[in-house]
């Protein structure tokens, strides 16, 4: 099974990754498509859903006319996006039950510099799987299909399609039960 790379992918993306009965690979050679979760994620804030976008530099078409591949997309240092993303996460999830528990694991992604989007996203995926304790949890038979607790659920109702960070910060060690 091939999946596109993703920046703090959605709960559904991680669910597909973990439920796959065949080996999963991230498709590094796919044609890069703009305005996708390859370089953005969705979080829940007091004002509703907010999109966090990593600025990227996409190479021009090759001499043979082929479109740029995901593996060649670089992260741009344009703007102060790392600081803005961390502040948005802190503001949105600072009061969630498990933000403080995981903050030290997530913060380095906003402090370190990465050259390639694919490498950055791979490191994020690896960290998320580690935090979800996937090796032991992957074999678990208990899976919940009901919506999980969200910090702003009273205000906006349950918001599907959010970043894995939403589930992690709100459910903590039990997050894997929803995947």
């Amino acid at each position: 099974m091939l999946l596109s790379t993703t920046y703090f992918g959605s709960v559904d993306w991680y669910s597909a990754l973990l439920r796959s009965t065949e080996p999963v690979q991230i498709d590094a050679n796919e044609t890069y498509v703009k305005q996708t979760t390859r370089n953005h994620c969705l979080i829940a804030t007091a004002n509703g859903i907010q999109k966090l976008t990593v600025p990227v530099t996409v190479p021009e078409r090759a001499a043979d006319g082929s479109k740029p591949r995901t593996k060649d997309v670089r992260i741009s240092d344009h703007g102060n996006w790392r600081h803005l993303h961390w502040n948005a996460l802190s503001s949105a999830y600072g009061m969630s039950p498990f933000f403080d528990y995981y903050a030290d694991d997530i913060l380095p992604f906003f402090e370190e510099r990465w050259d390639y989007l694919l490498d950055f996203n791979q490191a994020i995926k690896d960290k998320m799987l580690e935090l979800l304790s996937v090796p032991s949890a992957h074999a678990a038979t208990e899976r919940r299909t009901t919506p999980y607790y969200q910090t702003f659920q009273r205000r906006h109702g349950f918001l599907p399609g959010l970043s894995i960070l939403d589930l992690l910060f709100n459910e903590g060690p039990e997050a894997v039960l929803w995947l």
Side-chain angles (χ1 to χ4, degrees):
M1 172 180 193
L2 283 176
L3 287 176
S4 294
T5 187
T6 183
Y7 173 63
F8 288 109
S10 71
V11 171
D12 292 336
W13 187 92
Y14 278 90
S15 183
L17 176 71
L18 296 179
R19 290 179 181 226
S20 177
T21 57
E22 57 189 81
V24 176
Q25 289 186 315
I26 303 302
D27 192 355
N29 289 311
E30 69 182 345
T31 300
Y32 182 76
V33 179
K34 295 179 180 180
Q35 298 184 5
T36 62
T37 59
R38 289 167 184 85
N39 70 314
H40 81 249
C41 68
L42 301 176
I43 64 170
T45 71
N47 295 322
I49 294 176
Q50 180 179 348
K51 183 193 292 188
L52 301 179
T53 303
V54 175
V56 296
T57 302
V58 180
E60 298 293 324
R61 286 183 182 245
D64 66 1
S66 62
K67 295 181 180 179
R69 303 287 174 204
T70 297
K71 68 181 179 180
D72 299 320
V73 174
R74 291 179 165 274
I75 295 175
S76 172
D77 281 329
H78 178 72
N80 198 10
W81 72 269
R82 288 175 187 84
H83 177 74
L84 296 173
H85 285 207
W86 183 249
N87 281 350
L89 290 171
S90 297
S91 177
Y93 297 108
M95 299 302 290
S96 66
F98 294 95
F99 178 80
D100 290 337
Y101 184 78
Y102 293 111
D104 289 342
D105 292 303
I106 306 301
L107 181 59
F109 293 106
F110 303 99
E111 294 177 329
E112 298 171 18
R113 299 214 185 282
W114 297 79
D115 290 326
Y116 289 95
L117 181 65
L118 187 67
D119 295 337
F120 182 56
N121 287 349
Q122 179 66 36
I124 289 170
K125 177 185 73 79
D126 291 346
K127 179 53 80 174
M128 293 299 101
L129 294 178
E130 175 190 325
L131 295 176
L132 291 166
S133 302
V134 169
S136 59
H138 188 57
T141 56
E142 180 187 0
R143 300 278 187 226
R144 298 181 185 178
T145 57
T146 57
Y148 57 90
Y149 168 81
Q150 291 179 331
T151 304
F152 299 106
Q153 191 165 353
R154 284 185 147 189
R155 185 176 292 177
H156 304 295
F158 181 78
L159 299 171
L162 298 179
S163 167
I164 190 68
L165 292 174
D166 187 77
L167 177 61
L168 192 66
F169 290 150
N170 285 306
E171 292 297 336
E174 293 188 7
V176 72
L177 299 176
W178 272 267
L179 297 174

